[in-house]
């Protein structure tokens, strides 16, 4: 079974020889080869130069040999073409922050996805370079998560600007979310046109909301994105961080795969969301700061906990962090390859 | 019904005329009177000078008229007497971080609570000043949360140092947690000796753990603290942030009150934890950046959601933030006083 068949089978809940494995942000600061590229080029330069994006995307493929590649890019890039200034220090900063209906009105929607040609070019270059070695995934931020950054202007501890907007100007937030849903749906559609074989939507900040707020301000807009991709024939992966309290509503997402953090075991998530979804995750990224023996034990325990390895994509619970080590990331992939076939049931 | 009777009745699930209300960190940076004191004195100076701690503790009592006062102090102060350097910039920084068994061995336990005499002095001065106007609460950090700060050295985004210790040197972490449990139990006992009428244990970072890890590294040590206070005749309040996935285990805490964040409604928490506990919380602190009408509507909705207002202490889901306004905090207290009696059922 090749990596593409393994990955797609897992996403669609079909039999696999072993669960596939990849790592969110697998091309990242923990890699010395990536750091070397970043000494020469800014983060956005790498995103915007197809050859560099390809070079960096390929690094973990060569160094870890996982079962999927993910386009090197950032969820923020649509905000730039919609009209905000985007800068990384190293976290994303957007200016001016979106705070009023006038600010929302000023955001461009029509044609902006055409201005992201560097993304589709990168996809085409990567696909050619991969030459079917592993499938290539595209991604985008969920409308709510992009709204968070747009309204806050950067990563904030308490997200009080967007919450204040939610509480006092919900119509402004809904107008913003509507625009973002349209752009994100078109952006992912164009990524699929260019050749990605799966798409992941990151609702990174959805978990800051209570369920009623999430049902109003995240779910319908994320749903709209995925519904637009219904007939595209690629698996749709929905990622949420810190979403344990939302699982009963998350079940309504029209998607093939739910990707969750480490707070709940996948068997517990399975109990709540039922058999409909493949599940992706959810090892603690802290593991990537430890050693081979610790990682092997964690992967073994991960498999032991599962009732079935069908419909499972092994990953971390969120992106790998700069304090991770390359040997740790290799140990994770290797342990899945070692224990996965025995665990497969 | 006076505030003390109202507060204690609520904690013990007995009838009340209306639920009591207070605000975590109610004496804080959002108050201009507090800012004025802080222009003259550092944060730790205020904590360590009983007259200043009293002055600041009284500010929200006079300006908001809530149903409880909480000692002005910080969960970090035991770490200083245990032997770490403590500094606020403005978040807590501890040096040197605790990373090895040698570091744990070096931490002092015997007699250290006697070195926190300024805390008990502050309690006595405040009690005299309050003159039974409202009850006074004491507090401490949970062993796990104090361990987090001690091992990380400061607030970190991913808590990878303590997680790495948990994964690779669990015996070191357990030794640290054991020492912290002993100190925290004695510290809260001495606060009760000095006159506090309730104690809150803050497991602020417990929610970063999966349930199995929380059951091993937080629950038993927090339990040990509260068991030591079993016969002291004051309500024990256990606060956890982001603990939705832990509620089934949190039920095992020997305490009278569970204090939770805004992610789940109290009626949902009640459904999971059963009738045994009073519940405290859990309005979104973001509300404190909004206006009177928004806050009144939120308090009304909060009461409408409850099946019973017995065993309820109204509060925010975590501490009030610097971007809050005094009128908003006043609006919260006033709305509870307005809607609480009608809602009482």
């Amino acid at each position: 079974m090749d990596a593409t068949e393994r990955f797609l089978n897992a996403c669609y809940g079909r039999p696999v020889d072993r669960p596939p494995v990849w790592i969110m942000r697998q091309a990242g600061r923990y890699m010395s080869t990536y750091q070397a590229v970043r000494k020469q080029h800014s983060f956005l330069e790498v995103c915007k130069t197809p050859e560099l994006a390809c070079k960096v995307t390929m690094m973990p493929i060569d160094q870890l040999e996982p079962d999927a590649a993910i386009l090197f890019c950032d969820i923020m890039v649509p905000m730039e073409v919609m009209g905000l200034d985007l800068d990384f220090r190293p976290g994303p900063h957007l200016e001016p922050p979106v705070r009023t209906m006038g600010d929302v009105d000023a955001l461009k929607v029509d044609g902006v996805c055409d201005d992201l040609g560097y993304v589709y070019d990168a996809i085409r270059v990567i696909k050619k370079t991969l030459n079917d070695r592993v499938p290539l995934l595209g991604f985008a931020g969920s409308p709510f998560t992009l709204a968070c950054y747009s309204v806050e202007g950067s990563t904030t501890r308490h997200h009080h600007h967007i919450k204040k907007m939610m509480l006092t100007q919900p119509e402004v937030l809904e107008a913003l979310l509507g625009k973002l849903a349209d752009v994100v749906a078109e952006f992912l559609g164009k990524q699929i046109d260019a050749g990605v074989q799966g798409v992941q939507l990151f609702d990174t900040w959805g978990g800051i909301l209570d369920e009623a707020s999430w049902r109003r301000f995240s779910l319908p807009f994320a749903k709209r994105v995925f519904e637009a991709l219904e007939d595209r024939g690629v698996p749709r992966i929905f990622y949420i961080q810190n979403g344990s309290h939302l699982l009963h509503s998350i079940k309504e997402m029209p998607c093939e795969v739910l990707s969750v953090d480490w707070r709940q075991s996948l068997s517990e998530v399975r109990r709540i969301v039922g058999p409909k979804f493949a599940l992706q995750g959810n090892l603690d990224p802290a593991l990537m700061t430890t050693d081979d023996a610790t990682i092997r034990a964690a992967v073994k325990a991960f498999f032991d906990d599962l009732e079935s390895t069908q419909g499972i994509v092994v990953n971390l619970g969120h992106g790998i962090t700069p304090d991770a080590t390359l040997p740790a990331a290799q140990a994770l992939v290797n342990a899945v390859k070692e224990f996965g076939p025995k665990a497969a049931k």
Side-chain angles (χ1 to χ4, degrees), chain A residues 194-212:
Chain A
V196 300
Q197 291 142 289
V199 289
Q200 181 156 327
L201 194 65
F202 285 87
D203 197 17
T204 309
W205 295 121
I208 66 168
L209 300 178
D210 63 72
E211 195 164 10

Side-chain angles (χ1 to χ4, degrees), chain A residues 34 94 107 115 154 171-172 210 258 270 285 303 329 344:
Chain A
Y34 172 83
L94 290 167
L107 291 174
D115 299 337
S154 62
E171 69 291 351
V172 174
D210 63 72
L258 291 181
R270 170 70 70 213
F303 283 132

Side-chain angles (χ1 to χ4, degrees), chain A residues 14 56 71 89 117 144 148 184 191 225 235 286 305 329:
Chain A
R14 299 188 295 245
V56 163
L71 169 69
R89 320 173 194 165
F144 177 73
C148 258
V184 170
Q191 291 185 36
V225 170
D305 169 66

Side-chain angles (χ1 to χ4, degrees), chain A residues 19 30 109 116 123 139 141 164 184 193 209 217 249 258 267 298 302:
Chain A
Y30 76 100
V109 171
L116 293 166
I123 291 169
F139 69 96
K164 183 178 183 178
V184 170
D193 293 340
L209 300 178
F217 297 105
S249 288
L258 291 181
S267 59
F302 172 88

